[in-house]
């Protein structure tokens, strides 16, 4: 079981109910139920709505995952669940369910860190992660650069956003352009028809004076405000808003800063591998620009396919499998749902 453990992972930190099953590095099932449509009219995830949706979706999603993998709960070697960070009520649903299944089926349980799981999921597609590596996690809730020395032990934060997360910036800009929610995929599509050089939007925390204190940190709220001002001035002048050009120029500003800082983090730490995860890693321009810039410095870029970048159960199962294989002790059955779980903890100690 140590070499190829069969691990089931449960993810409920935000608006996706995910149950994934992996054997070793092999993905057997990745069942997902999303409440994203229920949040669309609010322009962002409503925690109480998300929690209720998890409650309704969990058992059927669990059943779908087991069917897809062709296994039963009795076959599973361990159950992993996102302990944090995330929405408290949403996390509670997954953690309570995982405890119930673990207790009923007498399985060890691993409470894991959602961000570390975003890093671990890449192993399902590209095999073991060379360490040390730099990970850039960009989603609706987080934007961080991490140094991954040993994924079983903990990761070292290098920098993070000081205001909005990258995905949040995509969502807010899409909202002010009247494009819908979630904004990332819509802006990504709209940008394909636009000119990324048509509007010079600001690149947060890249000026020499900011780099001294915030070399690996991000800021996207100034960019969001700049886009809002630009659109307002167009509207005031009675001119049409060129949605494709605004989308492309905004997207370029985000991707420019993200990739420049990620490559700088690799070089500063003598690291040859950059792994990108989180919902924004699905962005087509981010992928291209990261590859282009990394290649110039001999850095390999690993990005899982888009379906594995956004929240899912497979990522939790992948990290669980990694921990089991490394001989890490399971968590206690009273493990918490920890909305502010620290990045330095990859799993809840036993
Ligand atoms: O990781 P994720 O599914 O959930 C968490 O926030 O943890 O990420 C969702 C975020 C949303 O803000 C969404 O707009 C963004 O990822 N996103 C994208 C793309 N696809 C999803 N952002 C830019 N380009 C995309 N193609
Ligand atoms: Zn996430």
């Amino acid at each position: 079981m140590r070499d190829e453990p069969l691990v089931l992972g449960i993810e409920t930190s935000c608006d996706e109910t995910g149950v994934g099953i992996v054997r070793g590095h092999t993905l057997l099932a990745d069942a997902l139920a999303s409440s994203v449509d229920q949040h669309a009219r609010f322009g962002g995830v409503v925690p109480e709505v998300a929690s209720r949706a998890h409650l309704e979706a969990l058992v059927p999603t669990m059943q779908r995952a087991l069917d897809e993998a062709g296994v039963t709960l009795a076959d599973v070697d361990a159950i992993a669940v996102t302990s944090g960070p995330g929405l408290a009520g949403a996390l509670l649903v997954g953690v309570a369910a995982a405890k119930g299944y673990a207790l009923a089926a007498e399985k060890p349980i691993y409470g894991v860190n959602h961000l570390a799981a975003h890093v671990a999921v890449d192993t399902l597609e590209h095999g073991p992660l060379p360490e040390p590596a730099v990970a850039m996690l960009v989603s609706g809730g987080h934007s961080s650069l991490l140094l991954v020395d040993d994924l079983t032990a903990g990761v070292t934060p290098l920098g993070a956003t000081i205001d909005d997360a990258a995905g949040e910036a995509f969502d807010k800009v899409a909202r002010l352009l009247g494009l819908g929610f979630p904004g990332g995929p819509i802006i990504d599509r709209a940008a394909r028809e636009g000119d990324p050089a048509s509007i010079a939007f600001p690149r947060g925390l890249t000026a020499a004076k900011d780099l001294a204190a915030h070399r690996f940190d991000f800021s996207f709220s100034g960019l969001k405000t700049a886009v809002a001002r630009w659109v307002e001035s167009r509207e005031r002048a009675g001119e049409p808003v060129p949605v494709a050009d605004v989308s492309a120029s905004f997207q370029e500003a985000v991707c420019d800063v993200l990739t420049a800082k990620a490559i700088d983090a690799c070089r500063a730490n003598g690291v040859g591998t950059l792994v990108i995860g989180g919902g924004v890693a699905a962005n087509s321009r981010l992928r291209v620009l990261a590859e282009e810039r990394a290649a110039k410095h001999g850095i390999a870029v690993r990005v899982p396919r888009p379906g594995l970048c956004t929240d899912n159960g497979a990522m939790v199962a992948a990290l669980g499998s990694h921990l089991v294989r490394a001989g890490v002790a399971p968590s206690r059955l009273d493990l918490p749902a920890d909305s502010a779980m620290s990045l330095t903890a990859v799993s809840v100690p036993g």
Side-chain angles (χ1 to χ4, degrees):
M1 105 110 162
R2 231 351 118 68
D3 297 340
E4 294 277 290
L6 184 68
V7 179
L8 181 141
I10 298 176
E11 155 64 34
T12 64
S13 70
C14 192
D15 58 344
E16 322 279 354
T17 312
V19 180
I21 301 176
V22 307
R23 191 186 298 281
H25 287 301
T26 309
L27 179 62
L28 302 184
D30 188 16
L32 201 68
S34 178
S35 62
V36 68
D37 293 343
Q38 298 179 48
H39 307 292
R41 68 192 171 99
F42 302 105
V45 176
V46 183
E48 193 52 40
V49 172
S51 309
R52 190 173 296 267
H54 286 308
L55 209 51
E56 286 165 7
L58 209 132
V59 172
T61 308
M62 180 83 175
Q63 197 52 54
R64 268 200 293 135
L66 291 169
D67 292 348
E68 204 177 306
V71 300
T72 65
L73 195 56
D75 300 326
V76 165
D77 292 311
I79 294 172
V81 60
T82 300
S83 183
L87 303 171
L91 289 166
L92 260 179
V93 177
V95 167
K99 287 177 181 177
Y101 286 120
L103 196 63
E106 296 181 38
K107 302 296 179 185
I109 186 170
Y110 288 83
V112 304
N113 188 300
H114 178 82
L115 299 185
H118 269 304
V119 179
V121 74
D122 183 68
T123 60
L124 297 178
E125 211 159 60
H126 301 119
L129 184 69
E131 289 168 337
V134 163
M136 176 163 70
L137 298 182
V138 274
S139 76
H142 29 258
S143 307
S144 344
L145 280 171
L146 317 169
L147 183 62
V148 185
D149 275 321
D150 175 357
L151 193 51
T152 56
V155 291
T156 312
L158 297 173
T161 181
I162 61 166
D163 41 56
D164 292 349
E168 199 179 348
F170 272 94
D171 295 338
K172 287 179 175 171
V173 165
R175 192 176 183 184
L176 71 89
L177 289 172
L179 293 180
F181 174 83
I186 308 175
I187 289 196
D188 196 344
R189 261 194 316 278
R192 281 177 208 156
E193 315 294 322
D195 175 6
S198 56
I199 310 159
F201 286 131
R203 269 64 171 161
L205 300 182
T206 56
K209 66 172 175 24
D210 295 324
L211 284 177
H214 293 290
R215 183 170 173 188
F216 302 125
D217 290 327
F218 304 106
S219 167
F220 298 109
S221 99
L223 169 61
K224 173 196 66 194
T225 307
V227 176
R229 296 281 167 278
W230 196 92
V231 170
E232 277 162 23
S233 75
R234 269 295 176 118
E235 285 168 344
R236 253 201 316 276
E239 292 167 27
V241 176
V243 170
D245 283 347
V246 174
S247 298
S249 301
F250 159 75
Q251 175 173 276
E252 193 66 18
V254 174
C255 296
D256 181 17
V257 176
L258 289 177
T259 55
K261 294 209 175 204
I263 303 296
D264 186 32
C266 291
R267 298 186 68 207
N269 289 282
V271 167
T273 307
L274 170 65
V275 46
I276 309 181
V280 182
N283 186 268
S284 57
R285 179 61 182 150
L286 183 66
R287 286 171 175 241
V288 170
L289 198 56
E291 298 269 1
E292 211 175 277
R293 290 182 167 174
K296 289 197 184 116
H297 301 287
I299 295 164
V301 178
R302 297 173 41 136
V303 192
R305 64 179 152 80
L308 293 179
C309 284
T310 45
D311 290 349
N312 60 76
M315 63 194 241
V316 179
L319 180 53
S321 165
H322 188 72
L323 296 172
V324 172
R325 273 174 290 145
V328 173
S331 309
R332 284 169 33 160
L333 198 55
D334 64 353
L335 71 101
D338 180 359
S339 61
M341 186 172 186
S342 158
L343 260 174
T344 46
V346 165
S347 63
V348 180

